[in-house]
Amino acid sequence: ALLGKMGIRPAESVGALIAGLNSASELVASAAAQALGRFPDQSRSIIPALLQAMQKTNKIVARWAGRTLKDLDPYAAAKAGIK
């Protein structure tokens, strides 16, 4: 999540954070989902990854992905059933 907090090199940071969404560690995946919200300019690549993360069986990761999606794109979140 440090990459997201630093806010530098968006393309590289976003790629690493998207990969982090698939981590077996709930802590890492949740932190990645939260940090992705710091890159609204990269939402075109972030939104599909968040939508996919919301389908995970880990409810905590799915919840953080949904929250970040709602922050980045309320319309996409509503379409995905996030209120």
Side-chain angles (χ1 to χ4, degrees), residues 6-26:
M6 293 170 55
I8 57 171
R9 297 188 190 151
E12 292 174 24
S13 298
V14 168
L17 291 168
I18 288 173
L21 288 174
N22 296 314
S23 173
S25 166
E26 177 182 286

Side-chain angles (χ1 to χ4, degrees), residues 1 24 27 50-51 66 72:
L27 181 63
L50 291 172
L51 289 167
L72 290 176

Side-chain angles (χ1 to χ4, degrees), residues 9-83:
R9 297 188 190 151
E12 292 174 24
S13 298
V14 168
L17 291 168
I18 288 173
L21 288 174
N22 296 314
S23 173
S25 166
E26 177 182 286
L27 181 63
V28 170
S30 296
Q34 293 173 44
L36 283 167
R38 293 188 166 86
F39 297 96
D41 292 344
Q42 301 291 316
S43 62
R44 286 188 103 154
S45 58
I46 294 171
I47 290 172
L50 291 172
L51 289 167
Q52 184 176 14
M54 288 172 50
Q55 304 304 315
K56 295 200 180 258
T57 55
N58 185 309
K59 299 298 180 198
I60 294 172
V61 174
R63 188 175 306 129
W64 277 113
R67 287 180 183 175
T68 300
L69 177 63
K70 186 175 180 181
D71 289 344
L72 290 176
D73 189 340
Y75 177 75
K79 229 175 137 179
I82 304 294
K83 295 181 182 189

